[in-house]
Amino acid sequence: MAFTFSELYQRLLKRYGRQSWWPANHPFEVMVGAILTQNTNWSNVEKALANLQQKINLDAESILNLAQEELEACLNSSGYFRIKTQRLQFYCRWYLAQGGYQALQQLSTQKLRQLLLAVHGIGPETADDILLYAFDRPVFVIDTYTRRLLIRLQMIKGDEHYEVLQRLFEENLPKRVDLYKQFHALIIVHAKQCGRKKNKSECEICLLTERGAYSASS
């Protein structure tokens, strides 16, 4: 079954309802979480964030003031903790050198994205997580769940570059921050729901057919 992007969004919204994602108390926490969630699941990130919050105020200065071994211990649960410690330290130094949140918020989305991508360890997905959820910029985040869903629904071939998929969403949807946040979050919750099914491919299709999207029996 072929869907437009708007139809896909409406079916996911009908199925799961509005989401509250990204969970964070302030924008800098989103940034830290975006770095830590690379190559791990969110439950591991939550443990790392909780470890940090028990030791320090979650801000760039406090992170940089932590001894290397203390920071590594806090991030241990997030996986690849030594690499992530270095990346987080690089990011915090860059963040402070740029003047912090208020200064960065004044930049255009294109300029801010370019600067983020120049930071060691920040790739397109992490940069766009930060742009969308920390700075409220209308950029669509492409992750593994999004690519997998579109492949199974035969909306893409699967070998498209990140920016190609991003343009597909942004050119076929209204350019609205809340819409992009909701759509991305709905794809995540759908992926988690299907992750509990034995036949994941069948689950992807079933949940988004007329029967699956609108019937509790699915």
Side-chain angles (χ1 to χ4, degrees):
M1 175 179 288
F3 298 100
T4 67
F5 286 90
S6 293
E7 287 170 342
L8 178 56
Y9 172 72
Q10 290 299 329
R11 287 167 185 263
L12 288 168
L13 183 63
K14 181 74 174 181
R15 177 77 187 185
Y16 300 109
R18 286 183 61 82
Q19 304 297 305
S20 297
W21 183 260
W22 194 291
N25 295 314
H26 49 79
F28 186 75
E29 185 178 339
V30 173
M31 301 175 205
V32 175
I35 293 168
L36 298 185
T37 199
Q38 296 170 354
N39 301 306
T40 193
N41 60 54
W42 185 252
S43 62
N44 291 332
V45 175
E46 286 181 316
K47 294 173 187 175
L49 289 171
N51 290 338
L52 281 172
Q53 290 166 334
Q54 286 176 358
K55 278 188 170 291
I56 59 172
N57 292 323
L58 196 55
D59 56 57
E61 295 93 338
S62 299
I63 288 172
L64 291 174
N65 286 334
L66 268 182
Q68 181 89 7
E69 59 272 16
E70 286 187 283
L71 184 53
E72 288 180 354
C74 287
L75 304 187
N76 185 273
S77 67
S78 68
Y80 303 98
F81 64 92
R82 290 192 176 89
I83 293 173
K84 290 182 180 179
T85 293
Q86 292 178 347
R87 289 180 178 177
L88 185 55
Q89 289 170 328
F90 274 120
Y91 184 83
C92 288
R93 292 189 191 101
W94 171 84
Y95 180 78
L96 293 174
Q98 297 297 319
Y101 188 83
Q102 294 304 320
L104 291 169
Q105 182 69 291
Q106 303 305 311
L107 301 176
S108 70
T109 299
Q110 181 180 7
K111 178 63 175 177
L112 182 51
R113 191 173 194 268
Q114 289 174 346
L115 289 175
L116 285 167
L117 289 173
V119 179
H120 175 73
I122 303 295
E125 183 182 340
T126 303
D128 292 338
D129 279 335
I130 292 171
L131 285 167
L132 179 61
Y133 291 102
F135 288 98
D136 289 325
R137 303 301 177 90
V139 296
F140 201 93
V141 178
I142 303 298
D143 56 20
T144 301
Y145 299 135
T146 305
R147 186 180 294 271
R148 184 184 302 146
L149 177 61
L150 296 187
I151 291 170
R152 287 177 176 164
L153 294 176
Q154 300 181 349
M155 296 176 72
I156 61 171
K157 293 185 296 182
D159 58 354
E160 293 85 353
H161 290 300
Y162 183 99
E163 285 75 14
V164 171
L165 295 185
Q166 187 176 59
R167 284 197 299 273
L168 280 177
F169 281 90
E170 294 182 0
E171 291 174 358
N172 287 283
L173 293 167
K175 209 168 182 64
R176 296 196 341 250
V177 170
D178 181 66
L179 172 61
Y180 289 1
K181 287 182 178 180
Q182 285 298 314
F183 205 161
H184 180 234
L186 286 164
I187 291 171
I188 292 172
V189 74
H190 176 67
K192 290 179 179 178
Q193 172 75 21
C194 286
R196 292 194 289 268
K197 305 291 186 180
K198 289 184 178 180
N199 190 333
K200 297 179 182 180
S201 181
E202 181 179 319
C203 174
E204 299 279 17
I205 303 300
C206 179
L207 285 174
L208 294 172
T209 60
E210 290 294 330
R211 180 177 61 84
Y214 298 104
S215 169
S217 64
S218 65

